[in-house]
Amino acid sequence: MKTRIVEIEEEHIDQETIREAGEIIRSGGLVAFPTETVYGLGGDALNPASSRKIYEAKGRPSDNPLIVHIAKWEALSAIVKNIPEEAVRLAQVYWPGPLTMILEKSDLVPAETTGGLNTVAVRMPSHKTALAFIEAAGGYVAAPSANRSGRPSPTLARYVSQDLAGRIEMIIDGGDVELGLESTIVDLTAGTPVILRPGYITRVMLESTLGRVEEDVTILCDDSGQAPKAPGMKYRHYAPKGELTIISGPQQAVTDYINAQLDRYRTENKKTGVIASEATVSAYRADVCKNGGSRQDESALARRLYRILREFDDEDVEIIYAESFEGAGVGQAVMNRLLKAAGHRVTELK
Ligand code: AMP
Ligand code: MG
């Protein structure tokens, strides 16, 4: 299959191209498209054959459910059994935006789209091209991130193309994404709302709208005995090809430790990389040093992380060390993804 790549500027949306993209979805094909979080791989959410194609194109296990993207609030009622009060309040504040809600699904949504679950994940993105595309596609676009399974989520159309060219009909290139991390997922089907995946919309933000909100225990720890409630979280994700280890502790100890390891690997002719904050990155003796941005701005690394991981792959880096990036806000989501990329390999220094 030849994949058509089209550029669309968010501020000057070409309606004819959007119509063609929508037509591909309506006739059962797949289109990758930009959102404010990461690029999505879209298919018709109400067509079981389309969802099967998404799993196949991604190489994704079919028990890992897809997020259904809608473009207007009125679209929600057809795909869920009921709309709880919490969903109304969250939508008023955070939709369109990087928040996915888990709700009871209606019979309209095929089991293929929800990985066999009775619940459905729904999000209304804020990206204007995404909204126009979803409307043109019939209003319900199932879309996981547009990467091959196990690869970092794509933040540029170039990365979608690396992973999926030849496997899908079209890629809409909308340039760099705004946020760079996948949406926050909150489950509204089990009494107290539960965060299944952290993201830009933090627990504090959700609690200011809803009152008490819980967090799935598997978000930051590697408790292999516990099954995460978002099935996708159980798979090794976002993994670079090189071996990534996070080093935490007092800054000087971290820098000294990492440099000692780098020197050792150099004698073994291994290509090395480091992810560090703006303030410390120049202190490292790695072959490839990546600036994760200022520690004062937790969203800086969020925007860059997946790109950095892919660049390590492109440069065939074999051994990677990362400073630890904890934070109260989106920093928690960044750390969640970094820990997954590292397979929870962390060394804590005193
Ligand atoms: P992706 O869009 O690639 O980030 O993947 C979608 C994520 O949403 C996966 O981690 C899924 O496990 C999660 N998800 C989708 N639908 C549900 C659902 N009904 N219940 C729980 N998690 C879900
Ligand atoms: Mg994904």
Side-chain angles (χ1 to χ4, degrees), residues 58 60 64-67 102 114 117 119-121 143-145 182 185 196-197 229-233 237:
K58 275 186 69 99
R60 175 178 188 145
N64 189 352
L66 310 174
I67 294 175
I102 308 290
T114 64
L117 298 173
T119 54
V120 60
S145 49
E182 306 86 344
I185 302 181
L196 305 185
R197 177 172 75 185
K229 295 212 183 69
M233 301 295 271
H237 244 189

mmCIF file with all atom_site columns, all heavy atoms in Angstrom, residues 58 60 64-67 102 114 117 119-121 143-145 182 185 196-197 229-233 237, ligand 1:
data_model
loop_
_atom_site.group_PDB
_atom_site.id
_atom_site.type_symbol
_atom_site.label_atom_id
_atom_site.label_alt_id
_atom_site.label_comp_id
_atom_site.label_asym_id
_atom_site.label_entity_id
_atom_site.label_seq_id
_atom_site.pdbx_PDB_ins_code
_atom_site.Cartn_x
_atom_site.Cartn_y
_atom_site.Cartn_z
_atom_site.occupancy
_atom_site.B_iso_or_equiv
_atom_site.pdbx_formal_charge
_atom_site.auth_seq_id
_atom_site.auth_comp_id
_atom_site.auth_asym_id
_atom_site.auth_atom_id
_atom_site.pdbx_PDB_model_num
ATOM   1   N N   . LYS A 1 58  ? -0.481  -1.487 13.826 1.00 0.00 ? 58  LYS A N   1
ATOM   2   C CA  . LYS A 1 58  ? 0.398   -1.149 14.962 1.00 0.00 ? 58  LYS A CA  1
ATOM   3   C C   . LYS A 1 58  ? 1.199   -2.334 15.460 1.00 0.00 ? 58  LYS A C   1
ATOM   4   O O   . LYS A 1 58  ? 2.184   -2.174 16.176 1.00 0.00 ? 58  LYS A O   1
ATOM   5   C CB  . LYS A 1 58  ? -0.455  -0.642 16.149 1.00 0.00 ? 58  LYS A CB  1
ATOM   6   C CG  . LYS A 1 58  ? -0.801  0.817  16.114 1.00 0.00 ? 58  LYS A CG  1
ATOM   7   C CD  . LYS A 1 58  ? -1.498  1.211  17.396 1.00 0.00 ? 58  LYS A CD  1
ATOM   8   C CE  . LYS A 1 58  ? -0.632  1.195  18.623 1.00 0.00 ? 58  LYS A CE  1
ATOM   9   N NZ  . LYS A 1 58  ? -0.098  2.490  19.053 1.00 0.00 ? 58  LYS A NZ  1
ATOM   10  N N   . ARG A 1 60  ? -0.297  -4.368 17.523 1.00 0.00 ? 60  ARG A N   1
ATOM   11  C CA  . ARG A 1 60  ? -0.717  -4.205 18.907 1.00 0.00 ? 60  ARG A CA  1
ATOM   12  C C   . ARG A 1 60  ? -1.610  -5.367 19.333 1.00 0.00 ? 60  ARG A C   1
ATOM   13  O O   . ARG A 1 60  ? -2.473  -5.783 18.578 1.00 0.00 ? 60  ARG A O   1
ATOM   14  C CB  . ARG A 1 60  ? -1.502  -2.899 19.008 1.00 0.00 ? 60  ARG A CB  1
ATOM   15  C CG  . ARG A 1 60  ? -2.116  -2.605 20.346 1.00 0.00 ? 60  ARG A CG  1
ATOM   16  C CD  . ARG A 1 60  ? -2.803  -1.244 20.257 1.00 0.00 ? 60  ARG A CD  1
ATOM   17  N NE  . ARG A 1 60  ? -3.265  -0.777 21.526 1.00 0.00 ? 60  ARG A NE  1
ATOM   18  C CZ  . ARG A 1 60  ? -3.272  0.499  21.906 1.00 0.00 ? 60  ARG A CZ  1
ATOM   19  N NH1 . ARG A 1 60  ? -2.812  1.425  21.099 1.00 0.00 ? 60  ARG A NH1 1
ATOM   20  N NH2 . ARG A 1 60  ? -3.744  0.853  23.068 1.00 0.00 ? 60  ARG A NH2 1
ATOM   21  N N   . ASN A 1 64  ? -5.927  -4.637 23.937 1.00 0.00 ? 64  ASN A N   1
ATOM   22  C CA  . ASN A 1 64  ? -5.531  -3.301 24.378 1.00 0.00 ? 64  ASN A CA  1
ATOM   23  C C   . ASN A 1 64  ? -6.458  -2.288 23.706 1.00 0.00 ? 64  ASN A C   1
ATOM   24  O O   . ASN A 1 64  ? -6.283  -1.970 22.534 1.00 0.00 ? 64  ASN A O   1
ATOM   25  C CB  . ASN A 1 64  ? -4.070  -3.073 23.967 1.00 0.00 ? 64  ASN A CB  1
ATOM   26  C CG  . ASN A 1 64  ? -3.498  -1.810 24.566 1.00 0.00 ? 64  ASN A CG  1
ATOM   27  O OD1 . ASN A 1 64  ? -4.212  -1.015 25.160 1.00 0.00 ? 64  ASN A OD1 1
ATOM   28  N ND2 . ASN A 1 64  ? -2.211  -1.618 24.383 1.00 0.00 ? 64  ASN A ND2 1
ATOM   29  N N   . PRO A 1 65  ? -7.476  -1.792 24.428 1.00 0.00 ? 65  PRO A N   1
ATOM   30  C CA  . PRO A 1 65  ? -8.556  -1.043 23.785 1.00 0.00 ? 65  PRO A CA  1
ATOM   31  C C   . PRO A 1 65  ? -8.127  0.312  23.219 1.00 0.00 ? 65  PRO A C   1
ATOM   32  O O   . PRO A 1 65  ? -7.109  0.871  23.609 1.00 0.00 ? 65  PRO A O   1
ATOM   33  C CB  . PRO A 1 65  ? -9.570  -0.855 24.915 1.00 0.00 ? 65  PRO A CB  1
ATOM   34  C CG  . PRO A 1 65  ? -8.798  -1.022 26.168 1.00 0.00 ? 65  PRO A CG  1
ATOM   35  C CD  . PRO A 1 65  ? -7.673  -1.936 25.872 1.00 0.00 ? 65  PRO A CD  1
ATOM   36  N N   . LEU A 1 66  ? -8.949  0.823  22.296 1.00 0.00 ? 66  LEU A N   1
ATOM   37  C CA  . LEU A 1 66  ? -8.651  2.077  21.597 1.00 0.00 ? 66  LEU A CA  1
ATOM   38  C C   . LEU A 1 66  ? -9.453  3.220  22.207 1.00 0.00 ? 66  LEU A C   1
ATOM   39  O O   . LEU A 1 66  ? -10.484 3.001  22.829 1.00 0.00 ? 66  LEU A O   1
ATOM   40  C CB  . LEU A 1 66  ? -9.040  1.919  20.120 1.00 0.00 ? 66  LEU A CB  1
ATOM   41  C CG  . LEU A 1 66  ? -8.499  0.654  19.445 1.00 0.00 ? 66  LEU A CG  1
ATOM   42  C CD1 . LEU A 1 66  ? -9.077  0.520  18.034 1.00 0.00 ? 66  LEU A CD1 1
ATOM   43  C CD2 . LEU A 1 66  ? -6.974  0.681  19.410 1.00 0.00 ? 66  LEU A CD2 1
ATOM   44  N N   . ILE A 1 67  ? -8.981  4.447  22.039 1.00 0.00 ? 67  ILE A N   1
ATOM   45  C CA  . ILE A 1 67  ? -9.739  5.610  22.499 1.00 0.00 ? 67  ILE A CA  1
ATOM   46  C C   . ILE A 1 67  ? -10.608 6.110  21.345 1.00 0.00 ? 67  ILE A C   1
ATOM   47  O O   . ILE A 1 67  ? -10.131 6.260  20.216 1.00 0.00 ? 67  ILE A O   1
ATOM   48  C CB  . ILE A 1 67  ? -8.769  6.730  22.971 1.00 0.00 ? 67  ILE A CB  1
ATOM   49  C CG1 . ILE A 1 67  ? -8.008  6.252  24.217 1.00 0.00 ? 67  ILE A CG1 1
ATOM   50  C CG2 . ILE A 1 67  ? -9.539  8.026  23.258 1.00 0.00 ? 67  ILE A CG2 1
ATOM   51  C CD1 . ILE A 1 67  ? -6.933  7.204  24.713 1.00 0.00 ? 67  ILE A CD1 1
ATOM   52  N N   . ILE A 1 102 ? -13.375 7.116  30.801 1.00 0.00 ? 102 ILE A N   1
ATOM   53  C CA  . ILE A 1 102 ? -13.876 5.754  30.610 1.00 0.00 ? 102 ILE A CA  1
ATOM   54  C C   . ILE A 1 102 ? -15.328 5.713  31.086 1.00 0.00 ? 102 ILE A C   1
ATOM   55  O O   . ILE A 1 102 ? -15.628 6.088  32.228 1.00 0.00 ? 102 ILE A O   1
ATOM   56  C CB  . ILE A 1 102 ? -13.062 4.722  31.427 1.00 0.00 ? 102 ILE A CB  1
ATOM   57  C CG1 . ILE A 1 102 ? -11.560 4.850  31.171 1.00 0.00 ? 102 ILE A CG1 1
ATOM   58  C CG2 . ILE A 1 102 ? -13.564 3.309  31.165 1.00 0.00 ? 102 ILE A CG2 1
ATOM   59  C CD1 . ILE A 1 102 ? -11.098 4.434  29.828 1.00 0.00 ? 102 ILE A CD1 1
ATOM   60  N N   . THR A 1 114 ? -13.121 -1.854 21.843 1.00 0.00 ? 114 THR A N   1
ATOM   61  C CA  . THR A 1 114 ? -12.869 -1.735 23.286 1.00 0.00 ? 114 THR A CA  1
ATOM   62  C C   . THR A 1 114 ? -12.087 -2.924 23.831 1.00 0.00 ? 114 THR A C   1
ATOM   63  O O   . THR A 1 114 ? -12.056 -3.129 25.053 1.00 0.00 ? 114 THR A O   1
ATOM   64  C CB  . THR A 1 114 ? -14.192 -1.608 24.063 1.00 0.00 ? 114 THR A CB  1
ATOM   65  O OG1 . THR A 1 114 ? -14.945 -2.812 23.902 1.00 0.00 ? 114 THR A OG1 1
ATOM   66  C CG2 . THR A 1 114 ? -15.013 -0.430 23.581 1.00 0.00 ? 114 THR A CG2 1
ATOM   67  N N   . LEU A 1 117 ? -13.978 -5.079 26.268 1.00 0.00 ? 117 LEU A N   1
ATOM   68  C CA  . LEU A 1 117 ? -14.510 -4.522 27.519 1.00 0.00 ? 117 LEU A CA  1
ATOM   69  C C   . LEU A 1 117 ? -15.929 -3.958 27.324 1.00 0.00 ? 117 LEU A C   1
ATOM   70  O O   . LEU A 1 117 ? -16.317 -3.634 26.202 1.00 0.00 ? 117 LEU A O   1
ATOM   71  C CB  . LEU A 1 117 ? -13.597 -3.397 28.029 1.00 0.00 ? 117 LEU A CB  1
ATOM   72  C CG  . LEU A 1 117 ? -12.163 -3.788 28.393 1.00 0.00 ? 117 LEU A CG  1
ATOM   73  C CD1 . LEU A 1 117 ? -11.343 -2.541 28.722 1.00 0.00 ? 117 LEU A CD1 1
ATOM   74  C CD2 . LEU A 1 117 ? -12.151 -4.764 29.570 1.00 0.00 ? 117 LEU A CD2 1
ATOM   75  N N   . THR A 1 119 ? -16.706 -1.203 28.666 1.00 0.00 ? 119 THR A N   1
ATOM   76  C CA  . THR A 1 119 ? -16.523 0.233  28.816 1.00 0.00 ? 119 THR A CA  1
ATOM   77  C C   . THR A 1 119 ? -15.834 0.783  27.563 1.00 0.00 ? 119 THR A C   1
ATOM   78  O O   . THR A 1 119 ? -15.223 0.031  26.803 1.00 0.00 ? 119 THR A O   1
ATOM   79  C CB  . THR A 1 119 ? -15.630 0.535  30.031 1.00 0.00 ? 119 THR A CB  1
ATOM   80  O OG1 . THR A 1 119 ? -14.411 -0.201 29.891 1.00 0.00 ? 119 THR A OG1 1
ATOM   81  C CG2 . THR A 1 119 ? -16.331 0.125  31.331 1.00 0.00 ? 119 THR A CG2 1
ATOM   82  N N   . VAL A 1 120 ? -15.968 2.089  27.375 1.00 0.00 ? 120 VAL A N   1
ATOM   83  C CA  . VAL A 1 120 ? -15.318 2.720  26.223 1.00 0.00 ? 120 VAL A CA  1
ATOM   84  C C   . VAL A 1 120 ? -14.565 3.976  26.683 1.00 0.00 ? 120 VAL A C   1
ATOM   85  O O   . VAL A 1 120 ? -15.040 4.700  27.558 1.00 0.00 ? 120 VAL A O   1
ATOM   86  C CB  . VAL A 1 120 ? -16.354 3.058  25.116 1.00 0.00 ? 120 VAL A CB  1
ATOM   87  C CG1 . VAL A 1 120 ? -17.429 4.020  25.608 1.00 0.00 ? 120 VAL A CG1 1
ATOM   88  C CG2 . VAL A 1 120 ? -15.671 3.623  23.869 1.00 0.00 ? 120 VAL A CG2 1
ATOM   89  N N   . ALA A 1 121 ? -13.397 4.184  26.114 1.00 0.00 ? 121 ALA A N   1
ATOM   90  C CA  . ALA A 1 121 ? -12.606 5.384  26.404 1.00 0.00 ? 121 ALA A CA  1
ATOM   91  C C   . ALA A 1 121 ? -12.966 6.454  25.379 1.00 0.00 ? 121 ALA A C   1
ATOM   92  O O   . ALA A 1 121 ? -12.981 6.175  24.177 1.00 0.00 ? 121 ALA A O   1
ATOM   93  C CB  . ALA A 1 121 ? -11.118 5.048  26.313 1.00 0.00 ? 121 ALA A CB  1
ATOM   94  N N   . ALA A 1 143 ? -8.710  5.802  17.849 1.00 0.00 ? 143 ALA A N   1
ATOM   95  C CA  . ALA A 1 143 ? -7.310  6.105  17.568 1.00 0.00 ? 143 ALA A CA  1
ATOM   96  C C   . ALA A 1 143 ? -6.414  5.868  18.771 1.00 0.00 ? 143 ALA A C   1
ATOM   97  O O   . ALA A 1 143 ? -6.529  6.549  19.781 1.00 0.00 ? 143 ALA A O   1
ATOM   98  C CB  . ALA A 1 143 ? -7.155  7.543  17.096 1.00 0.00 ? 143 ALA A CB  1
ATOM   99  N N   . PRO A 1 144 ? -5.518  4.915  18.654 1.00 0.00 ? 144 PRO A N   1
ATOM   100 C CA  . PRO A 1 144 ? -4.405  4.842  19.594 1.00 0.00 ? 144 PRO A CA  1
ATOM   101 C C   . PRO A 1 144 ? -3.295  5.731  19.063 1.00 0.00 ? 144 PRO A C   1
ATOM   102 O O   . PRO A 1 144 ? -3.457  6.360  18.015 1.00 0.00 ? 144 PRO A O   1
ATOM   103 C CB  . PRO A 1 144 ? -4.000  3.369  19.526 1.00 0.00 ? 144 PRO A CB  1
ATOM   104 C CG  . PRO A 1 144 ? -4.281  2.989  18.107 1.00 0.00 ? 144 PRO A CG  1
ATOM   105 C CD  . PRO A 1 144 ? -5.436  3.859  17.632 1.00 0.00 ? 144 PRO A CD  1
ATOM   106 N N   . SER A 1 145 ? -2.174  5.817  19.766 1.00 0.00 ? 145 SER A N   1
ATOM   107 C CA  . SER A 1 145 ? -1.052  6.586  19.245 1.00 0.00 ? 145 SER A CA  1
ATOM   108 C C   . SER A 1 145 ? -0.534  5.932  17.956 1.00 0.00 ? 145 SER A C   1
ATOM   109 O O   . SER A 1 145 ? -0.579  4.707  17.815 1.00 0.00 ? 145 SER A O   1
ATOM   110 C CB  . SER A 1 145 ? 0.054   6.673  20.295 1.00 0.00 ? 145 SER A CB  1
ATOM   111 O OG  . SER A 1 145 ? 0.331   5.384  20.807 1.00 0.00 ? 145 SER A OG  1
ATOM   112 N N   . GLU A 1 182 ? 0.637   11.532 25.959 1.00 0.00 ? 182 GLU A N   1
ATOM   113 C CA  . GLU A 1 182 ? -0.742  11.098 25.765 1.00 0.00 ? 182 GLU A CA  1
ATOM   114 C C   . GLU A 1 182 ? -1.659  11.666 26.845 1.00 0.00 ? 182 GLU A C   1
ATOM   115 O O   . GLU A 1 182 ? -1.222  12.061 27.923 1.00 0.00 ? 182 GLU A O   1
ATOM   116 C CB  . GLU A 1 182 ? -0.836  9.567  25.785 1.00 0.00 ? 182 GLU A CB  1
ATOM   117 C CG  . GLU A 1 182 ? 0.072   8.844  24.816 1.00 0.00 ? 182 GLU A CG  1
ATOM   118 C CD  . GLU A 1 182 ? 1.438   8.598  25.386 1.00 0.00 ? 182 GLU A CD  1
ATOM   119 O OE1 . GLU A 1 182 ? 1.791   9.238  26.398 1.00 0.00 ? 182 GLU A OE1 1
ATOM   120 O OE2 . GLU A 1 182 ? 2.163   7.768  24.822 1.00 0.00 ? 182 GLU A OE2 1
ATOM   121 N N   . ILE A 1 185 ? -6.049  9.557  31.490 1.00 0.00 ? 185 ILE A N   1
ATOM   122 C CA  . ILE A 1 185 ? -7.245  8.695  31.416 1.00 0.00 ? 185 ILE A CA  1
ATOM   123 C C   . ILE A 1 185 ? -7.868  8.594  32.794 1.00 0.00 ? 185 ILE A C   1
ATOM   124 O O   . ILE A 1 185 ? -7.196  8.235  33.767 1.00 0.00 ? 185 ILE A O   1
ATOM   125 C CB  . ILE A 1 185 ? -6.886  7.272  30.926 1.00 0.00 ? 185 ILE A CB  1
ATOM   126 C CG1 . ILE A 1 185 ? -6.213  7.318  29.548 1.00 0.00 ? 185 ILE A CG1 1
ATOM   127 C CG2 . ILE A 1 185 ? -8.141  6.399  30.871 1.00 0.00 ? 185 ILE A CG2 1
ATOM   128 C CD1 . ILE A 1 185 ? -5.846  5.947  28.980 1.00 0.00 ? 185 ILE A CD1 1
ATOM   129 N N   . LEU A 1 196 ? -6.207  6.339  35.539 1.00 0.00 ? 196 LEU A N   1
ATOM   130 C CA  . LEU A 1 196 ? -5.539  5.121  35.086 1.00 0.00 ? 196 LEU A CA  1
ATOM   131 C C   . LEU A 1 196 ? -4.202  5.432  34.409 1.00 0.00 ? 196 LEU A C   1
ATOM   132 O O   . LEU A 1 196 ? -3.323  4.594  34.345 1.00 0.00 ? 196 LEU A O   1
ATOM   133 C CB  . LEU A 1 196 ? -6.422  4.357  34.096 1.00 0.00 ? 196 LEU A CB  1
ATOM   134 C CG  . LEU A 1 196 ? -7.837  3.996  34.567 1.00 0.00 ? 196 LEU A CG  1
ATOM   135 C CD1 . LEU A 1 196 ? -8.520  3.132  33.518 1.00 0.00 ? 196 LEU A CD1 1
ATOM   136 C CD2 . LEU A 1 196 ? -7.799  3.273  35.899 1.00 0.00 ? 196 LEU A CD2 1
ATOM   137 N N   . ARG A 1 197 ? -4.125  6.632  33.840 1.00 0.00 ? 197 ARG A N   1
ATOM   138 C CA  . ARG A 1 197 ? -2.871  7.056  33.202 1.00 0.00 ? 197 ARG A CA  1
ATOM   139 C C   . ARG A 1 197 ? -2.707  8.538  33.455 1.00 0.00 ? 197 ARG A C   1
ATOM   140 O O   . ARG A 1 197 ? -3.591  9.323  33.126 1.00 0.00 ? 197 ARG A O   1
ATOM   141 C CB  . ARG A 1 197 ? -2.933  6.781  31.692 1.00 0.00 ? 197 ARG A CB  1
ATOM   142 C CG  . ARG A 1 197 ? -1.688  7.269  30.935 1.00 0.00 ? 197 ARG A CG  1
ATOM   143 C CD  . ARG A 1 197 ? -1.680  6.823  29.498 1.00 0.00 ? 197 ARG A CD  1
ATOM   144 N NE  . ARG A 1 197 ? -2.603  7.578  28.662 1.00 0.00 ? 197 ARG A NE  1
ATOM   145 C CZ  . ARG A 1 197 ? -2.848  7.310  27.378 1.00 0.00 ? 197 ARG A CZ  1
ATOM   146 N NH1 . ARG A 1 197 ? -2.256  6.283  26.794 1.00 0.00 ? 197 ARG A NH1 1
ATOM   147 N NH2 . ARG A 1 197 ? -3.690  8.043  26.686 1.00 0.00 ? 197 ARG A NH2 1
ATOM   148 N N   . LYS A 1 229 ? -5.393  -1.150 35.457 1.00 0.00 ? 229 LYS A N   1
ATOM   149 C CA  . LYS A 1 229 ? -6.780  -1.121 34.980 1.00 0.00 ? 229 LYS A CA  1
ATOM   150 C C   . LYS A 1 229 ? -6.866  -0.641 33.535 1.00 0.00 ? 229 LYS A C   1
ATOM   151 O O   . LYS A 1 229 ? -7.808  -0.957 32.837 1.00 0.00 ? 229 LYS A O   1
ATOM   152 C CB  . LYS A 1 229 ? -7.631  -0.245 35.896 1.00 0.00 ? 229 LYS A CB  1
ATOM   153 C CG  . LYS A 1 229 ? -7.740  -0.806 37.288 1.00 0.00 ? 229 LYS A CG  1
ATOM   154 C CD  . LYS A 1 229 ? -9.083  -0.460 37.919 1.00 0.00 ? 229 LYS A CD  1
ATOM   155 C CE  . LYS A 1 229 ? -9.184  -0.956 39.347 1.00 0.00 ? 229 LYS A CE  1
ATOM   156 N NZ  . LYS A 1 229 ? -8.271  -0.196 40.252 1.00 0.00 ? 229 LYS A NZ  1
ATOM   157 N N   . ALA A 1 230 ? -5.905  0.157  33.085 1.00 0.00 ? 230 ALA A N   1
ATOM   158 C CA  . ALA A 1 230 ? -5.845  0.480  31.657 1.00 0.00 ? 230 ALA A CA  1
ATOM   159 C C   . ALA A 1 230 ? -4.985  -0.602 31.024 1.00 0.00 ? 230 ALA A C   1
ATOM   160 O O   . ALA A 1 230 ? -3.782  -0.645 31.242 1.00 0.00 ? 230 ALA A O   1
ATOM   161 C CB  . ALA A 1 230 ? -5.233  1.854  31.417 1.00 0.00 ? 230 ALA A CB  1
ATOM   162 N N   . PRO A 1 231 ? -5.590  -1.495 30.240 1.00 0.00 ? 231 PRO A N   1
ATOM   163 C CA  . PRO A 1 231 ? -4.840  -2.654 29.755 1.00 0.00 ? 231 PRO A CA  1
ATOM   164 C C   . PRO A 1 231 ? -3.527  -2.282 29.074 1.00 0.00 ? 231 PRO A C   1
ATOM   165 O O   . PRO A 1 231 ? -2.536  -2.994 29.185 1.00 0.00 ? 231 PRO A O   1
ATOM   166 C CB  . PRO A 1 231 ? -5.809  -3.305 28.766 1.00 0.00 ? 231 PRO A CB  1
ATOM   167 C CG  . PRO A 1 231 ? -7.164  -2.874 29.228 1.00 0.00 ? 231 PRO A CG  1
ATOM   168 C CD  . PRO A 1 231 ? -6.992  -1.497 29.790 1.00 0.00 ? 231 PRO A CD  1
ATOM   169 N N   . GLY A 1 232 ? -3.527  -1.126 28.404 1.00 0.00 ? 232 GLY A N   1
ATOM   170 C CA  . GLY A 1 232 ? -2.325  -0.728 27.671 1.00 0.00 ? 232 GLY A CA  1
ATOM   171 C C   . GLY A 1 232 ? -1.132  -0.499 28.570 1.00 0.00 ? 232 GLY A C   1
ATOM   172 O O   . GLY A 1 232 ? 0.017   -0.578 28.135 1.00 0.00 ? 232 GLY A O   1
ATOM   173 N N   . MET A 1 233 ? -1.380  -0.187 29.844 1.00 0.00 ? 233 MET A N   1
ATOM   174 C CA  . MET A 1 233 ? -0.282  0.155  30.728 1.00 0.00 ? 233 MET A CA  1
ATOM   175 C C   . MET A 1 233 ? 0.548   -1.068 31.114 1.00 0.00 ? 233 MET A C   1
ATOM   176 O O   . MET A 1 233 ? 1.611   -0.942 31.696 1.00 0.00 ? 233 MET A O   1
ATOM   177 C CB  . MET A 1 233 ? -0.801  0.847  31.997 1.00 0.00 ? 233 MET A CB  1
ATOM   178 C CG  . MET A 1 233 ? -1.586  2.132  31.730 1.00 0.00 ? 233 MET A CG  1
ATOM   179 S SD  . MET A 1 233 ? -0.613  3.467  31.017 1.00 0.00 ? 233 MET A SD  1
ATOM   180 C CE  . MET A 1 233 ? -0.015  4.258  32.513 1.00 0.00 ? 233 MET A CE  1
ATOM   181 N N   . HIS A 1 237 ? 6.403   -0.234 27.122 1.00 0.00 ? 237 HIS A N   1
ATOM   182 C CA  . HIS A 1 237 ? 5.998   0.847  26.235 1.00 0.00 ? 237 HIS A CA  1
ATOM   183 C C   . HIS A 1 237 ? 7.184   1.741  25.961 1.00 0.00 ? 237 HIS A C   1
ATOM   184 O O   . HIS A 1 237 ? 8.144   1.721  26.690 1.00 0.00 ? 237 HIS A O   1
ATOM   185 C CB  . HIS A 1 237 ? 4.978   1.685  26.992 1.00 0.00 ? 237 HIS A CB  1
ATOM   186 C CG  . HIS A 1 237 ? 3.627   1.680  26.377 1.00 0.00 ? 237 HIS A CG  1
ATOM   187 N ND1 . HIS A 1 237 ? 2.639   2.497  26.782 1.00 0.00 ? 237 HIS A ND1 1
ATOM   188 C CD2 . HIS A 1 237 ? 3.092   0.945  25.372 1.00 0.00 ? 237 HIS A CD2 1
ATOM   189 C CE1 . HIS A 1 237 ? 1.539   2.283  26.088 1.00 0.00 ? 237 HIS A CE1 1
ATOM   190 N NE2 . HIS A 1 237 ? 1.792   1.344  25.222 1.00 0.00 ? 237 HIS A NE2 1
HETATM 191 P P1  . AMP B 2 .   ? -3.033  4.909  23.250 1.00 0.00 ? 1   AMP B P1  1
HETATM 192 O O1  . AMP B 2 .   ? -4.111  5.705  22.595 1.00 0.00 ? 1   AMP B O1  1
HETATM 193 O O2  . AMP B 2 .   ? -2.100  4.231  22.299 1.00 0.00 ? 1   AMP B O2  1
HETATM 194 O O3  . AMP B 2 .   ? -2.301  5.729  24.236 1.00 0.00 ? 1   AMP B O3  1
HETATM 195 O O4  . AMP B 2 .   ? -3.747  3.732  24.028 1.00 0.00 ? 1   AMP B O4  1
HETATM 196 C C1  . AMP B 2 .   ? -4.995  3.874  24.610 1.00 0.00 ? 1   AMP B C1  1
HETATM 197 C C2  . AMP B 2 .   ? -4.924  3.632  26.082 1.00 0.00 ? 1   AMP B C2  1
HETATM 198 O O5  . AMP B 2 .   ? -6.230  3.750  26.641 1.00 0.00 ? 1   AMP B O5  1
HETATM 199 C C3  . AMP B 2 .   ? -4.423  2.244  26.431 1.00 0.00 ? 1   AMP B C3  1
HETATM 200 O O6  . AMP B 2 .   ? -3.458  2.324  27.457 1.00 0.00 ? 1   AMP B O6  1
HETATM 201 C C4  . AMP B 2 .   ? -5.668  1.543  26.913 1.00 0.00 ? 1   AMP B C4  1
HETATM 202 O O7  . AMP B 2 .   ? -5.361  0.559  27.837 1.00 0.00 ? 1   AMP B O7  1
HETATM 203 C C5  . AMP B 2 .   ? -6.520  2.669  27.495 1.00 0.00 ? 1   AMP B C5  1
HETATM 204 N N1  . AMP B 2 .   ? -7.951  2.359  27.397 1.00 0.00 ? 1   AMP B N1  1
HETATM 205 C C6  . AMP B 2 .   ? -8.706  2.434  26.291 1.00 0.00 ? 1   AMP B C6  1
HETATM 206 N N2  . AMP B 2 .   ? -9.984  2.025  26.542 1.00 0.00 ? 1   AMP B N2  1
HETATM 207 C C7  . AMP B 2 .   ? -10.023 1.675  27.838 1.00 0.00 ? 1   AMP B C7  1
HETATM 208 C C8  . AMP B 2 .   ? -11.041 1.155  28.698 1.00 0.00 ? 1   AMP B C8  1
HETATM 209 N N3  . AMP B 2 .   ? -12.280 0.910  28.255 1.00 0.00 ? 1   AMP B N3  1
HETATM 210 N N4  . AMP B 2 .   ? -10.716 0.906  29.995 1.00 0.00 ? 1   AMP B N4  1
HETATM 211 C C9  . AMP B 2 .   ? -9.465  1.169  30.443 1.00 0.00 ? 1   AMP B C9  1
HETATM 212 N N5  . AMP B 2 .   ? -8.467  1.656  29.678 1.00 0.00 ? 1   AMP B N5  1
HETATM 213 C C10 . AMP B 2 .   ? -8.713  1.898  28.388 1.00 0.00 ? 1   AMP B C10 1
#
